[in-house]
Amino acid sequence: MTGIDAPETHTPEELPGVVTKLFKGVLYAESDEKTWQSLLGLASHVRDYVAVLGLDLILDESEGYAFLKSRADPDGTLPRLIPRRPLTFNVSLLLALLRGRMLEFDTNSSELRLIMTEQDIADMVSVFLPESSNEARILDQLGTNIKKVVELGFLRKLRGQVGTYEVARILKAYVDAQWLEEFEARLADYRASLAGAGTTPKGEDRT
């Protein structure tokens, strides 16, 4: 008497390559169309595969990006395969301002790409500088902050255009409502410290 064999499960041939690309960082449709198309066809397999590792697949087909994100783990029982990246206040401020600019852009423009120059970014950030600050020094530091945001993948340098960047739309996924709420609390502390020091961010009146 022969038993009934359990059905075999096959790992799709392209699955390891797709998952490996995701572990390396954000996958963009425009930069790797072949892997992107494979991901779209294997999305359910990828989700099941990375779930075992305590990860979620974040896939936005309309915006053309995908990445892996660690699941919420309040008990701290899961190993963190996707490391947290501590950000300075100034980098966090830049991210929040870029997210706000993107929201404004999406509301008022029919264009798909938000392009900003270093001067545009400097003008946006300068509103938050205290009146008594050394503006030249702080704006010089802005270059370092912009470089960090480029490394994080939220700004992309445009080829052949020095000092010009595209704001990556993946910023919308990282800087969500909860992130902004937490940052607003830090911003309130920042404003309070400035007020205690007798300084006022530019564009604001003391009351």
Side-chain angles (χ1 to χ4, degrees):
M1 183 176 178
T2 59
I4 300 176
D5 293 332
E8 293 184 8
T9 58
H10 295 282
T11 299
E13 192 174 309
E14 297 171 316
L15 181 61
V18 172
V19 173
T20 299
K21 284 289 183 68
L22 287 167
F23 268 110
K24 291 181 177 179
V26 180
L27 175 63
Y28 291 100
E30 62 183 25
S31 60
D32 192 341
E33 185 176 352
K34 181 179 179 181
T35 304
W36 178 258
Q37 291 301 324
S38 296
L39 171 62
L40 295 182
L42 296 171
S44 61
H45 292 280
V46 173
R47 286 192 174 92
D48 291 343
Y49 190 95
V50 301
V52 178
L53 303 174
L55 302 173
D56 286 323
L57 170 66
I58 308 301
L59 170 63
D60 192 320
E61 189 171 350
S62 63
E63 298 286 8
Y65 62 74
F67 61 95
L68 300 178
K69 182 178 181 181
S70 295
R71 288 184 171 180
D73 182 29
D75 298 328
T77 57
L78 295 174
R80 178 166 291 278
L81 298 178
I82 307 298
R84 291 186 180 275
R85 296 173 175 176
L87 303 177
T88 65
F89 176 83
N90 288 332
V91 170
S92 296
L93 174 62
L94 181 53
L95 290 177
L97 293 176
L98 288 172
R99 181 66 182 90
R101 181 62 61 88
M102 177 169 281
L103 177 61
E104 178 184 336
F105 176 80
D106 288 344
T107 301
N108 301 317
S109 175
S110 60
E111 299 292 327
L112 296 178
R113 303 172 69 199
L114 172 56
I115 307 299
M116 298 184 71
T117 64
E118 286 186 359
Q119 187 60 52
D120 293 333
I121 297 172
D123 292 343
M124 179 178 66
V125 172
S126 65
V127 176
F128 287 83
L129 299 179
E131 290 285 359
S132 63
S133 66
N134 183 332
E135 183 171 346
R137 182 178 61 83
I138 293 179
L139 290 180
D140 183 58
Q141 292 176 350
L142 179 62
T144 301
N145 297 331
I146 290 176
K147 182 179 179 181
K148 179 63 177 179
V149 175
V150 170
E151 291 173 357
L152 292 171
F154 299 128
L155 284 175
R156 301 180 195 166
K157 294 181 180 179
L158 296 187
R159 292 181 180 177
Q161 301 183 50
V162 178
T164 305
Y165 304 86
E166 178 183 355
V167 184
R169 303 197 67 81
I170 194 173
L171 181 65
K172 296 169 62 176
Y174 276 91
V175 182
D176 55 17
Q178 180 180 352
W179 191 98
L180 286 174
E181 182 178 345
E182 293 172 353
F183 180 74
E184 281 293 336
R186 294 181 65 195
L187 185 57
D189 291 340
Y190 171 71
R191 294 177 188 276
S193 67
L194 289 179
T199 58
T200 306
K202 294 181 179 178
E204 294 188 10
D205 295 326
R206 294 176 183 163
T207 56

